[in-house]
Amino acid sequence: MAQIRIQNVRKEFGAFTAVRSSSFTIEDGEFFMLLGPSGCGKTTTLRMMAGLELPTSGEIFIDGEEVGMKPASKRDIAFVFQMFALYPHMNVRKNISYPLVSQGLRGEEVRSRVAEVARILKIETILDKPVGGLSGGDRQRVALGRAIVRRPKAFFMDEPLGALDAEFREHMAEELRALHDRMGATTVYVTHDQLEAMQMGDKIVVMNHGVVEQFGKPQQIYDWPATKFVAQFIGSPPMNFLEFEGMIGVGGGAIDLGGIEVKVPTSREGRAGRLTLGVRPEHVKFVSDGGYRGRVSAVEYLGTTQIVTLATSHGDLKARISSGHRVQEREQIGLEFDARTLSVFDAETGKVLLSDGNQGVLRHG
Amino acid sequence: MAEVVLENVTKTFAGTVALDNVSLTVPDGSFVVLLGPTGAGKTTTLRMVSGLDTPDRGEVYIDGEPVKGLAPAERNVAMVFQQYSLYPHLTVRQNLEFPLKSPLLKTPREEIDRKVREVAEVLQIAHKLDNKATALSGGEMQRVSIGRALVRDPQIFLMDEPLSSLDAKLRADLRIELKRIQARSGATLLYVTHDQIEAMTMATHVGVLNEGKLVQFGSPRAVYEQPVSVYAATRLGQPRINVLPADIFAGAPLGAASIGLRPEHIQQGAGEDALVKRVEHLGDQTRLHLTFRKHDLITVTDAHTPLRGGETIKIQPLKPLYFDAAGMRLA
């Protein structure tokens, strides 16, 4: 159990800066996601927390103690990798006991700790089997067991489900999260899969090019992205961007999109020039008499909902609507956006303009 | 353009039945997606049509003609695989021209140029025609390999998970593109995947395969709304359909052994108490993991639900599907 605090941490590899001045706090017992595309610095950040890399500058606190320069073995953490390695010549019990035995624990203590872990992971029946014949899921469970058995302060996981197929990944994700809920240990989890991050995480840090783009609760990040990058990285399909030339002032509650007035949350910032209106697909409504129009270019059935792609005068737009609604390709459709949910970005910097909608999330985030 | 018919096709590999008496009609101009897990027989079906493999029993017809004994090259089919293989020392243009330059075809120069230009435009790679194939991104390479199939104007396109090695964004773009190309050209397309999103969004018809048998064939909507069995019901829909003992709610018809409830077909606010185990905010919607009479259930609710783990809600079935003891749906 531990709180982990990252303060102005920076990591350079020669001339390349992998992580630029990151700061965030992981509270005790949280399931915390480091999310971003490959090369964004998420794995480097995790490895610095674990002690597998040393930061170029900045501080890392585990439970109040500065550990930035301590080796991994002195940090009392456990690391679970994507490619979990088990000792092939040992059975399940010996694999799980190994970390305890190498710490010098003996006999009854080892037996009872292994039994407890086996119960948590529901692998009591395979304890005496060789690891060679195990299914992928059981191997993953044994690897977790080996991490859990030491009762570390925190678990660090680097895409532990990355190598699994979609169906099984979903299942293991649920299992991992349930395991966390039973044990309550601080867990830091690296992934590039936004759905996995939303689904499992109590909090998410979204990284890009070594920079923390946003930090917060999944729903808040989804609703009120701080940058265009976050808006596009989270959500499937991602947030739509309608690019336009225009302006909005402090206290302004609407923008002019090609001659059509679109209401937005009251702005707390003023900006003129190239702007971007951000609309989530489920906040687009089809209306018969809307002033803003789009032409249907594709329809994708998804069961209860469907994704309709429309060409508008400000670029392509995807709408998620009920599949009960029959839509024809090439049909012209009037569009309305749910005013309370919209974001306006400065297209140059990619940063969102503060508004009555997002300031609660972004001011203290 | 052509219809493909498989008639009672059986194929065994070293004692394992890969295809078990499969009969299937791929209508002319349709986009048929074969869906199933590894080992269901999807790729084997494709190989029967392409001529890369031959049935032990049964017959394959293309455009009404039996194709037994015809080599792949004689069948006028074009294949696209998951692992695109381009000629690395050639440019994009040369790669696209290659199938047309076969001495057998004797395609005139102007014809080759016209076709390459057309295909490049459709696939949005016209600006890269003179780049080396190796200078392309993964998505562009896969588009070129699809393009190489397109220039030939084959009777049938056969595709084996062509999008599975691409990233999510590109996959989403190419799904729309492929469907558009198929609809515009009117080509017949037989496509294999284990990705249900690809099946639902692109197919005119989905063929659900299980252990070498074709268990259902119909439009994505028909398979989703009227699955023939528990197995077919679990193939489409994310999160997957909840399958519970039929008597867990009142009102099960005679002979029902289980009830299938898609997550969105569980009505909240009325009915009986369920415990909320976990709340997952996914952004556009929220998933609720419930415990109901010792069974786990997943349902979806409003993105901004105030519900938290540990609370109880009332639930009742909305559009239940009932299945018999063998897993077949009761009408």
Side-chain angles (χ1 to χ4, degrees):
Chain A
M1 301 275 217
Q3 185 210 56
I4 302 168
R5 196 149 54 87
I6 306 295
Q7 216 162 335
N8 304 324
V9 164
R10 181 180 179 87
K11 178 67 185 179
E12 292 163 8
F13 292 104
F16 174 70
T17 307
V19 177
R20 296 165 200 274
S21 190
S22 287
S23 299
F24 52 85
T25 303
I26 300 163
E27 297 298 342
D28 182 24
E30 258 176 3
F31 202 110
F32 191 92
M33 312 301 279
L34 288 170
L35 174 67
S38 51
C40 73
K42 56 188 190 300
T43 292
T44 305
T45 303
L46 187 74
R47 291 173 64 85
M48 287 192 286
M49 288 186 212
L52 300 174
E53 300 283 355
L54 298 180
T56 308
S57 62
E59 291 160 317
I60 298 168
F61 297 90
I62 297 183
D63 257 354
E65 182 197 356
E66 213 280 305
V67 296
M69 291 299 150
K70 272 193 177 180
S73 57
K74 296 266 157 58
R75 295 193 189 189
D76 195 12
I77 51 99
F79 208 109
V80 181
F81 295 93
Q82 179 174 348
M83 289 302 178
F84 38 91
L86 302 175
Y87 301 110
H89 58 291
M90 296 183 186
N91 67 17
V92 171
R93 185 189 304 278
K94 289 215 172 103
N95 263 281
I96 296 177
S97 315
Y98 192 80
L100 298 180
V101 174
S102 60
Q103 276 179 356
L105 290 183
R106 288 285 174 268
E108 192 46 41
E109 173 73 6
V110 172
R111 233 190 319 281
S112 75
R113 294 261 291 261
V114 171
E116 181 197 345
V117 164
R119 200 179 58 249
I120 292 173
L121 292 168
K122 301 185 177 117
I123 51 171
E124 292 116 310
T125 57
I126 60 164
L127 273 179
D128 295 310
K129 290 199 174 154
V131 294
L134 298 182
S135 70
D138 282 338
R139 293 176 66 87
Q140 180 76 275
R141 290 182 193 101
V142 175
L144 281 171
R146 218 167 43 183
I148 293 169
V149 78
R150 285 174 35 213
R151 295 183 187 155
K153 282 186 182 164
F155 293 103
F156 294 158
M157 306 193 183
D158 190 0
E159 310 232 11
L161 310 181
L164 309 176
D165 70 47
E167 210 163 296
F168 188 54
R169 194 162 63 223
E170 178 98 353
H171 176 76
M172 282 307 291
E174 261 174 49
E175 208 170 286
L176 261 185
R177 179 64 220 210
L179 178 66
H180 171 87
D181 291 348
R182 284 200 292 278
M183 306 204 329
T186 309
T187 304
V188 188
Y189 188 107
V190 161
T191 182
H192 67 273
D193 180 336
Q194 62 96 17
L195 187 62
E196 201 168 88
M198 295 288 292
Q199 212 178 344
M200 299 173 79
D202 295 317
K203 287 218 190 97
I204 299 178
V205 154
V206 185
M207 293 187 71
N208 188 31
H209 296 313
V211 175
V212 171
E213 296 261 333
Q214 194 168 359
F215 160 55
K217 290 186 178 158
Q219 188 70 41
Q220 292 177 338
I221 290 180
Y222 181 89
D223 290 340
W224 304 112
T227 63
K228 286 177 80 171
F229 175 81
V230 173
Q232 280 255 287
F233 199 75
I234 306 256
S236 174
M239 184 178 264
N240 294 293
F241 291 152
L242 299 174
E243 310 285 349
F244 67 104
E245 283 281 338
M247 61 175 283
I248 188 162
V250 174
I255 53 147
D256 181 342
L257 196 62
I260 310 286
E261 186 194 72
V262 175
K263 288 202 167 61
V264 297
T266 305
S267 190
R268 294 281 139 222
E269 283 183 87
R271 200 75 95 243
R274 283 179 47 222
L275 300 175
T276 305
L277 178 67
V279 191
R280 290 277 177 203
E282 63 276 17
H283 297 143
V284 180
K285 230 173 53 186
F286 289 3
V287 290
S288 50
D289 55 350
Y292 196 73
R293 302 190 78 78
R295 183 167 172 273
V296 177
S297 60
V299 181
E300 294 177 280
Y301 177 75
L302 283 175
T304 303
T305 61
Q306 57 187 340
I307 305 293
V308 180
T309 308
L310 302 120
T312 77
S313 39
H314 300 88
D316 272 0
L317 180 87
K318 286 183 195 285
R320 184 192 288 275
I321 61 163
S322 157
S323 53
H325 194 127
R326 297 289 172 140
V327 182
Q328 294 297 321
E329 278 190 35
R330 290 188 275 281
E331 190 182 341
Q332 290 278 349
I333 291 178
L335 304 172
E336 240 173 49
F337 309 133
D338 185 344
R340 297 160 305 172
T341 64
L342 302 178
S343 293
V344 180
F345 300 89
D346 181 328
E348 307 287 343
T349 63
K351 291 212 166 84
V352 79
L353 303 184
L354 278 181
S355 74
D356 279 1
N358 64 23
Q359 67 169 350
V361 168
L362 298 179
R363 275 266 158 79
H364 60 71
Chain B
M1 277 183 259
E3 179 189 75
V4 178
V5 177
L6 276 77
E7 205 175 73
N8 307 109
V9 170
T10 295
K11 178 73 183 179
T12 311
F13 294 107
T16 311
V17 180
L19 286 181
D20 187 357
N21 202 24
V22 168
S23 294
L24 163 75
T25 299
V26 179
D28 181 21
S30 64
F31 194 139
V32 171
V33 176
L34 297 177
L35 182 67
T38 310
K42 310 179 298 278
T43 298
T44 307
T45 306
L46 214 59
R47 291 172 66 88
M48 296 293 141
V49 179
S50 68
L52 293 172
D53 255 317
T54 49
D56 296 341
R57 280 196 304 281
E59 204 62 72
V60 177
Y61 302 87
I62 296 180
D63 211 7
E65 298 294 320
V67 291
K68 191 181 267 171
L70 292 184
E74 298 167 302
R75 294 192 182 194
N76 197 15
V77 297
M79 291 202 70
V80 180
F81 298 96
Q82 176 181 349
Q83 292 305 332
Y84 36 85
S85 45
L86 302 179
Y87 300 106
H89 58 292
L90 300 182
T91 64
V92 171
R93 185 190 306 279
Q94 289 165 330
N95 265 285
L96 289 174
E97 285 174 352
F98 200 84
L100 298 175
K101 285 192 151 170
S102 149
L104 289 173
L105 292 172
K106 294 201 180 70
T107 319
R109 184 72 237 176
E110 314 81 76
E111 176 76 3
I112 293 180
D113 287 343
R114 189 183 59 76
K115 278 195 161 166
V116 166
R117 213 169 33 244
E118 234 176 64
V119 165
E121 223 127 87
V122 172
L123 293 170
Q124 298 168 27
I125 44 174
H127 58 294
K128 301 260 168 130
L129 274 176
D130 296 310
N131 288 24
K132 272 272 164 59
T134 45
L136 302 179
S137 70
E140 288 165 342
M141 285 203 229
Q142 188 58 292
R143 274 186 271 178
V144 175
S145 71
I146 293 169
R148 217 164 43 175
L150 285 175
V151 288
R152 286 180 41 203
D153 270 335
Q155 283 186 296
I156 301 167
F157 291 99
L158 303 172
M159 302 197 180
D160 195 351
E161 311 228 11
L163 307 185
S164 61
S165 60
L166 307 176
D167 68 36
K169 161 101 177 72
L170 208 61
R171 237 173 16 236
D173 288 350
L174 278 178
R175 281 205 304 263
I176 291 184
E177 229 167 89
L178 258 186
K179 189 179 166 190
R180 188 176 295 153
I181 292 164
Q182 188 274 337
R184 291 221 178 120
S185 64
T188 306
L189 210 157
L190 184 57
Y191 186 107
V192 158
T193 186
H194 65 268
D195 180 345
Q196 54 157 306
I197 303 285
E198 289 179 13
M200 277 205 276
T201 57
M202 294 194 294
T204 56
H205 307 70
V206 175
V208 181
L209 285 163
N210 184 26
E211 294 176 349
K213 289 197 175 68
L214 182 70
V215 297
Q216 188 165 10
F217 187 78
S219 71
R221 196 181 281 265
V223 176
Y224 188 81
E225 291 176 2
Q226 288 142 27
V228 295
S229 63
V230 170
Y231 177 81
T234 54
R235 289 298 105 196
L236 297 185
Q238 189 64 343
R240 67 162 61 192
I241 190 167
N242 299 289
V243 180
L244 305 161
D247 57 7
I248 199 162
F249 292 102
L254 203 65
S258 57
I259 178 173
L261 285 170
R262 297 220 178 263
E264 65 275 17
H265 294 157
I266 295 174
Q267 196 177 18
Q268 293 152 37
E272 298 173 66
D273 278 336
L275 178 72
V276 179
K277 266 198 318 186
R278 191 173 140 64
V279 180
E280 284 173 2
H281 291 275
L282 301 186
D284 59 324
Q285 55 170 250
T286 294
R287 266 184 212 172
L288 300 177
H289 293 252
L290 307 176
T291 301
F292 180 69
R293 302 200 168 148
K294 294 188 179 155
H295 291 276
D296 289 338
L297 271 179
I298 295 183
T299 185
V300 290
T301 192
D302 179 59
H304 295 101
T305 177
L307 276 174
R308 306 178 67 134
E311 297 183 35
T312 60
I313 57 168
K314 291 201 184 303
I315 58 165
Q316 66 183 20
L318 193 59
K319 288 185 192 164
L321 302 168
Y322 291 102
F323 303 95
D324 67 16
M328 300 310 287
R329 188 163 67 91
L330 299 167

